[in-house]
Amino acid sequence: MPQFLDTNDADFEPAFAALLAAKREDSPDVDDTVAAIIADVRARGDAAVIELTARFDRLELTPERLVFTPEEIAAAIETVPAAERDALELAAERIRAYHVRQMPEDASWTDPEGATLGWRWTAVSAAGLYVPGGLASYPSSVLMNAVPAKVAGVERLAIAVPTPDGKVNPLVLMAARIAGVDEIYRIGGAQAIAAMAYGTESIAPVDKITGPGNAYVAAAKRRVFGKVGIDMIAGPSEILVIAERGTDPDWIALDLMSQAEHDESAQSILITDDADFGQQVGAAVDKRLETLERRAIAGASWRDFGAVITVRDLDEAAQLSNRIAPEHLELCVADPEALADKCVHAGAIFLGQYTPEAIGDYVGGPNHVLPTARSARFSSGLSVLDFLKRTTLARMTPEALRAIGPSAERLAQSESLEAHGLSVRARLDQLNR
Amino acid sequence: MPQFLDTNDADFEPAFAALLAAKREDSPDVDDTVAAIIADVRARGDAAVIELTARFDRLELTPERLVFTPEEIAAAIETVPAAERDALELAAERIRAYHVRQMPEDASWTDPEGATLGWRWTAVSAAGLYVPGGLASYPSSVLMNAVPAKVAGVERLAIAVPTPDGKVNPLVLMAARIAGVDEIYRIGGAQAIAAMAYGTESIAPVDKITGPGNAYVAAAKRRVFGKVGIDMIAGPSEILVIAERGTDPDWIALDLMSQAEHDESAQSILITDDADFGQQVGAAVDKRLETLERRAIAGASWRDFGAVITVRDLDEAAQLSNRIAPEHLELCVADPEALADKCVHAGAIFLGQYTPEAIGDYVGGPNHVLPTARSARFSSGLSVLDFLKRTTLARMTPEALRAIGPSAERLAQSESLEAHGLSVRARLDQLNR
């Protein structure tokens, strides 16, 4: 049974605090194993990657066969039905159109003292995208990572996707081709992260690694951070729906289940100002859980982490939402924009009853890689900015240096950094000569 | 002796590669100690912080005395000479003026299908800034962290600064007041990071922690990452100067030494197209090293990690610069803008001979918290974006859902996520009724 809470109940606050604090994922401690794998790949390169792939993926490779050939990719893609191809192309086009608008502007200006200041954005040269194999090998995730990288201008974009027993999802290769990925390697796990971060004889190193993965991949990404950039370490998915009476309870039930079906650790919460409506949604969930293909997973998630919370009004709903800081926030209310203005901590907001969260997973345009586990308090979803970096620019004229140099010299002296001060003073002395 | 290299030499490539790979800092492994400190602060709150402060800082506190009172701050600030106060105020004003321009725009548009898309930036609610005590307690760093946070709109900004034996740098308090910091705690080390991340009875938790620190602070920041956001983990500072004949060799020598004097692990490199000029700069450095107050530190850095590289032309200089990806890049050449266009991986660029790097440390306007250790390949200096997060927004009309919903449904089915597909299908069925 999910929890049914009411802010009018005396024990609401401790129950809600427990819901917020629930540890939904107990990652196995694989750090020592991962450290050994990374050290092995750094020491022995291709040979280590090939041995580890034989061991974990039951696949015998050679240095030449680490990468998919164009012919292999073309042959796999031929098997994709036209309807799937068209859907992927529509998704890619919409994701591209959204992310193009995120491209930040360079800036340059001259201030009253005569200093010319500004900044310039440039793309990361090479990025690597990890794509899980097996059940969670999602072509949509390929698009959500690869399209922003290419929009940002990343020249070389590599994918690592494990192919256990040699099996690969052709839709993943199709998505990679649509997104303009340059290299696809049939490797996975910590060995793939190590190979992309440090390079091997056959795999050139990248500067940034993004994409989801299991506990080994996550631990490897944490370990190579610093040598390369990484995106966030994603936790299990979450949705918060705030709904008034008026939307079909079955729609809300399906929206809640579309998170719950991802993972037994996923969390789906409904907040409503109408206790009866909350009960109706709960009943609709129970009905759907009788027939859903993934009812075992979705049912466990709903039972262990699901909640229906009745509030006095939508202002109180917004306050609770801000404490949850949800990854996905769906607002099925009459005036979703007004409510969205009050919900300041959320990865993505879906406004109105015709915007089910699943639209955002595939074809909405915004990215579906979003901050989990309350990290929307301080972080954002994936964007072109993850594949760009900013260089600040400053140029002083002699006049500008005369105007502000003495203050720099003074502060350098106060910090006992003599050479800092002298580097300014030597120039001022010559200018004043 | 620093290295003198020439790209014409047969052994240049291995020597340059060794320079790039030099491990300049060997951080002690303090992770177990830090883990224990964090666990202690989480379990015992104020009591743990007070005990640890007595042990490490030889300072007896009470819960009430963890925070500086307004009277204590005012009394300390009274001791600051007017010249220092004026210099700090000029610096703060220039940093503020630069960072205000970084504030990103919200966006909203309606696409041809009728979907309204966009995003919204909001500030992190509470941020904590770590300020080292003792030698490296720099008021300029207070400004460089606190001003962008306040420009971003952070409501609650706390500082933690250890005060060993009760001693504090009044300029740090002055800088905090100028920047609008809300709370200043006299605590440091891993216990300060733990207190800000998890909160205690007397210290409310924050959402983001920034600022430099020693190996304990760095390890603690890594450990609390995820619970809160953190900025980069900074390594020792670096400067690359690209200079043609024509600038006073002593100016370049002082610019090189202004990095070297930070830390024995700092690195200062000169690239020039004129071997004689390189020798002149080397001689000027030797001369300055006879008298500089911090000559022991600067000399060790220059001896162990310094280099003077002679190149054929400025194009080759830009290529080497991109391999170094320096934190600070100074271009003392006739046309610095043209050269800057070719230097795509750098934290900050200082253009022309009247822009010594020290200007950027204090009063230039751009941030002095910059990516070290070649991470300018994939990351940027501190900015207002570090204190903001972006929420994506999407609203479908019935028409938009009709147009793109079927593709979402198709992709959900291909990923075996039935509820995702059904959440779209249920709405389409009603619309088509």
Side-chain angles (χ1 to χ4, degrees):
Chain A
M1 271 288 281
Q3 295 191 62
F4 282 78
L5 307 178
D6 191 313
T7 55
N8 279 311
D9 291 347
D11 63 349
F12 171 77
E13 190 51 42
F16 183 71
L19 192 72
L20 275 187
K23 187 161 169 54
R24 289 185 282 131
E25 200 175 42
D26 216 2
S27 292
D29 187 2
V30 298
D31 203 44
D32 289 347
T33 310
V34 164
I37 289 174
I38 293 173
D40 193 21
V41 171
R42 289 185 68 175
R44 298 196 299 127
D46 283 350
V49 173
I50 288 169
E51 272 181 36
L52 291 159
T53 303
R55 190 159 114 213
F56 294 120
D57 296 339
R58 299 163 305 280
L59 182 67
E60 298 293 338
L61 294 176
T62 59
E64 297 70 34
R65 291 203 63 234
L66 286 168
V67 71
F68 278 91
T69 65
E71 295 73 29
E72 287 171 325
I73 296 169
I77 285 177
E78 290 235 333
T79 68
V80 175
E84 266 79 8
R85 188 196 62 215
D86 292 349
L88 279 176
E89 281 176 350
L90 178 124
E93 194 37 58
R94 292 186 59 83
I95 297 164
R96 191 173 291 122
Y98 184 92
H99 287 77
V100 161
R101 290 183 181 249
Q102 289 180 329
M103 283 296 284
E105 305 257 334
D106 293 347
S108 179
W109 66 92
T110 301
D111 70 15
E113 285 73 26
T116 299
L117 302 172
W119 62 78
R120 186 187 67 194
W121 291 92
T122 50
V124 166
S125 293
L129 162 57
Y130 189 85
V131 181
L135 194 64
S137 185
Y138 295 141
S140 58
S141 288
V142 174
L143 296 181
M144 290 291 180
N145 282 270
V147 170
K150 281 295 177 183
V151 167
V154 171
E155 275 184 32
R156 177 177 159 251
L157 179 58
I159 278 185
V161 55
T163 62
D165 302 307
K167 288 189 193 111
V168 66
N169 181 350
L171 284 168
V172 163
L173 301 186
M174 170 67 93
R177 196 174 72 171
I178 289 171
V181 169
D182 301 289
E183 302 160 15
I184 308 177
Y185 297 97
R186 53 184 121 225
I187 58 176
Q191 59 272 23
I193 301 298
M196 292 199 289
Y198 289 97
T200 70
E201 302 90 323
S202 303
I203 302 173
V206 302
D207 301 302
K208 174 111 188 183
I209 296 177
T210 70
N214 63 18
Y216 292 84
V217 170
K221 282 170 68 180
R222 277 186 190 274
R223 280 207 163 252
V224 301
F225 174 55
K227 168 67 183 168
V228 299
I230 63 168
D231 62 342
M232 67 199 82
I233 306 282
S237 197
E238 314 140 7
I239 190 170
L240 169 62
V241 181
I242 301 179
E244 295 170 319
R245 174 181 294 274
T247 301
D248 187 334
D250 184 50
W251 295 6
I252 305 295
L254 286 166
D255 299 345
L256 295 169
M257 289 305 98
S258 71
Q259 287 308 304
E261 74 176 346
H262 269 297
D263 192 331
E264 294 185 2
S265 306
Q267 184 166 49
S268 305
I269 300 177
L270 169 66
I271 297 183
T272 179
D273 57 358
D274 182 328
D276 282 346
F277 182 73
Q279 292 291 342
Q280 289 167 29
V281 171
V285 168
D286 291 342
K287 183 133 182 281
R288 285 290 183 180
L289 281 175
E290 291 171 13
T291 56
L292 274 182
E293 289 163 15
R294 295 167 74 104
R295 57 186 174 272
I297 294 170
S301 160
W302 182 241
R303 179 190 69 222
D304 294 341
F305 304 114
V308 176
I309 303 174
T310 303
V311 291
R312 291 179 195 90
D313 53 35
L314 294 184
D315 275 349
E316 193 172 46
Q319 288 164 26
L320 295 184
S321 175
N322 285 335
R323 290 175 64 186
I324 295 171
E327 181 191 12
H328 305 98
L329 175 60
E330 196 176 298
L331 304 179
C332 292
V333 298
D335 187 353
E337 281 80 7
L339 183 54
D341 283 345
K342 297 173 189 162
C343 297
V344 292
H345 305 312
I349 303 183
F350 304 88
L351 299 112
Q353 64 176 346
Y354 294 108
T355 317
E357 184 277 328
I359 283 290
D361 283 336
Y362 297 111
V363 296
N367 212 287
H368 79 195
V369 181
L370 293 165
T372 58
R374 305 192 60 222
S375 63
R377 293 175 297 124
F378 55 81
S379 64
S380 312
L382 200 70
S383 78
V384 296
L385 295 182
D386 290 285
F387 300 98
L388 295 166
K389 64 270 189 323
R390 189 187 49 243
T391 300
T392 61
L393 303 166
R395 178 169 193 167
M396 300 295 131
T397 55
E399 295 67 40
L401 192 66
R402 275 203 199 94
I404 68 174
S407 290
E409 185 187 15
R410 173 73 61 164
L411 291 172
Q413 288 164 348
S414 78
E415 294 184 354
S416 300
L417 294 172
E418 185 193 17
H420 284 66
L422 288 174
S423 73
V424 175
R425 173 49 49 196
R427 287 160 165 97
L428 290 175
D429 283 348
Q430 192 240 42
L431 288 173
N432 293 334
R433 222 173 269 155
Chain B
M1 269 286 282
Q3 295 191 62
F4 283 78
L5 307 177
D6 190 313
T7 56
N8 278 312
D9 291 348
D11 63 351
F12 171 77
E13 190 51 42
F16 183 71
L19 193 71
L20 276 187
K23 186 162 171 56
R24 290 186 280 131
E25 199 175 42
D26 216 4
S27 293
D29 187 2
V30 298
D31 204 44
D32 289 346
T33 309
V34 165
I37 290 173
I38 294 174
D40 193 21
V41 172
R42 289 184 69 176
R44 298 195 299 127
D46 283 349
V49 173
I50 288 169
E51 272 181 39
L52 290 159
T53 302
R55 189 159 116 214
F56 294 121
D57 296 339
R58 300 163 303 280
L59 183 67
E60 298 294 338
L61 293 177
T62 60
E64 297 70 35
R65 290 203 64 234
L66 287 168
V67 69
F68 278 92
T69 64
E71 294 72 29
E72 287 170 325
I73 296 170
I77 285 177
E78 290 235 333
T79 68
V80 175
E84 266 78 9
R85 188 196 61 214
D86 292 348
L88 279 175
E89 281 176 352
L90 178 122
E93 193 38 58
R94 292 188 58 85
I95 297 164
R96 190 173 292 122
Y98 183 91
H99 287 77
V100 161
R101 290 183 181 249
Q102 289 182 328
M103 282 297 284
E105 304 257 334
D106 293 348
S108 179
W109 66 93
T110 301
D111 71 15
E113 285 73 28
T116 299
L117 303 172
W119 62 77
R120 186 188 66 192
W121 291 92
T122 48
V124 167
S125 293
L129 162 57
Y130 190 85
V131 181
L135 195 63
S137 185
Y138 295 142
S140 58
S141 287
V142 174
L143 296 181
M144 291 290 181
N145 282 270
V147 170
K150 280 295 176 182
V151 167
V154 171
E155 274 184 33
R156 177 178 159 250
L157 180 57
I159 279 186
V161 54
T163 60
D165 301 308
K167 289 192 191 107
V168 66
N169 181 348
L171 283 169
V172 163
L173 302 185
M174 170 69 92
R177 195 174 73 170
I178 290 172
V181 169
D182 301 289
E183 302 161 13
I184 308 176
Y185 297 97
R186 53 184 120 224
I187 58 176
Q191 59 273 23
I193 302 297
M196 292 199 288
Y198 290 97
T200 69
E201 301 90 324
S202 304
I203 303 173
V206 302
D207 301 303
K208 175 114 188 181
I209 296 177
T210 70
N214 64 16
Y216 292 85
V217 170
K221 281 170 68 180
R222 277 186 190 273
R223 281 209 162 250
V224 301
F225 174 55
K227 168 66 183 168
V228 300
I230 63 168
D231 62 342
M232 67 199 81
I233 306 282
S237 197
E238 314 141 7
I239 191 170
L240 170 60
V241 181
I242 301 179
E244 294 171 320
R245 173 182 295 274
T247 300
D248 186 334
D250 183 51
W251 296 5
I252 306 294
L254 286 166
D255 299 345
L256 295 169
M257 288 307 98
S258 72
Q259 287 309 303
E261 73 176 345
H262 270 297
D263 192 332
E264 293 184 3
S265 305
Q267 184 165 50
S268 306
I269 299 176
L270 169 66
I271 297 182
T272 178
D273 59 356
D274 183 327
D276 282 346
F277 182 73
Q279 293 291 341
Q280 289 167 28
V281 171
V285 168
D286 291 343
K287 182 134 182 280
R288 285 290 182 179
L289 282 174
E290 291 171 11
T291 56
L292 274 181
E293 289 162 15
R294 294 166 75 104
R295 58 186 173 273
I297 294 169
S301 159
W302 181 241
R303 178 190 71 223
D304 294 341
F305 304 113
V308 175
I309 303 175
T310 304
V311 291
R312 292 178 195 90
D313 53 35
L314 293 183
D315 275 349
E316 195 173 43
Q319 288 163 27
L320 294 184
S321 174
N322 286 334
R323 290 175 64 188
I324 295 170
E327 181 191 11
H328 304 99
L329 175 60
E330 197 177 297
L331 304 179
C332 292
V333 299
D335 187 354
E337 281 81 8
L339 184 54
D341 284 345
K342 297 174 188 162
C343 297
V344 292
H345 305 312
I349 303 183
F350 304 87
L351 298 112
Q353 64 177 346
Y354 294 108
T355 318
E357 185 276 329
I359 283 290
D361 282 336
Y362 298 110
V363 295
N367 212 286
H368 80 193
V369 181
L370 292 165
T372 58
R374 304 191 62 222
S375 63
R377 291 175 297 124
F378 54 81
S379 64
S380 312
L382 200 70
S383 77
V384 295
L385 295 182
D386 290 285
F387 300 98
L388 295 166
K389 65 269 190 324
R390 189 186 50 243
T391 300
T392 61
L393 302 166
R395 178 169 194 167
M396 300 295 132
T397 55
E399 296 65 42
L401 192 67
R402 275 203 199 93
I404 68 174
S407 289
E409 185 187 15
R410 173 72 63 164
L411 291 172
Q413 287 163 349
S414 79
E415 294 184 353
S416 300
L417 293 172
E418 186 194 16
H420 284 66
L422 288 174
S423 73
V424 176
R425 173 48 51 195
R427 287 160 164 97
L428 290 175
D429 283 348
Q430 192 240 43
L431 288 173
N432 294 333
R433 220 172 272 154

